[in-house]
Amino acid sequence: MVTKIGMTVVLASGSINLGKFFDNSKSAIKSWGGSFIGLIGAFMLVAAAVLICKAFIQHGRGQTNWLMLLGMIIVGGCFFVGGFDIMDSLANVGKQTLNDLATGSGIGGGTP
């Protein structure tokens, strides 16, 4: 017998709270996503180190994009250290900027 009460499904053997289930799923996916972003950052750092070593070994004979390597080191380091938190804070900054522009509070330091 299944009875539905709000967000809780009551079964004959016990109860399952769907809200708690989705909260737990959200935190698990956030943790896994952070680990995946950190792994991408580690790959970027290793790739940048390999390309820097390759550039030094070639003694200037090959073409090296030093700006790209610098970007790989900075972005890869941020991803490796920050993981999901870096992406979340960047998204919050963008959201706040859009809210400020939409309400006019971020333009000219306040209301006219």
Side-chain angles (χ1 to χ4, degrees):
M1 178 176 176
V2 176
T3 307
K4 184 176 180 183
I5 305 170
M7 288 295 289
T8 305
V9 177
V10 179
L11 299 174
S13 62
S15 66
I16 299 171
N17 187 343
L18 289 179
K20 188 127 178 114
F21 171 76
F22 287 124
D23 286 341
N24 290 339
S25 297
K26 179 180 139 184
S27 65
I29 290 172
K30 193 175 183 180
S31 173
W32 296 339
S35 298
F36 182 69
I37 291 172
L39 184 66
I40 290 173
F43 283 139
M44 288 177 75
L45 289 173
V46 169
V50 168
L51 290 173
I52 288 172
C53 289
K54 179 182 166 190
F56 286 144
I57 289 171
Q58 289 179 349
H59 300 292
R61 285 179 278 147
Q63 191 173 14
T64 304
N65 189 348
W66 292 105
L67 188 60
M68 181 194 69
L69 291 176
L70 181 64
M72 284 178 69
I73 290 171
I74 291 172
V75 172
C78 287
F79 282 2
F80 183 69
V81 172
F84 185 80
D85 294 332
I86 289 287
M87 301 302 288
D88 191 38
S89 65
L90 288 174
N92 286 334
V93 166
K95 178 183 174 186
Q96 185 61 39
T97 301
L98 288 176
N99 285 339
D100 289 345
L101 289 174
T103 59
S105 63
I107 302 170
T111 58

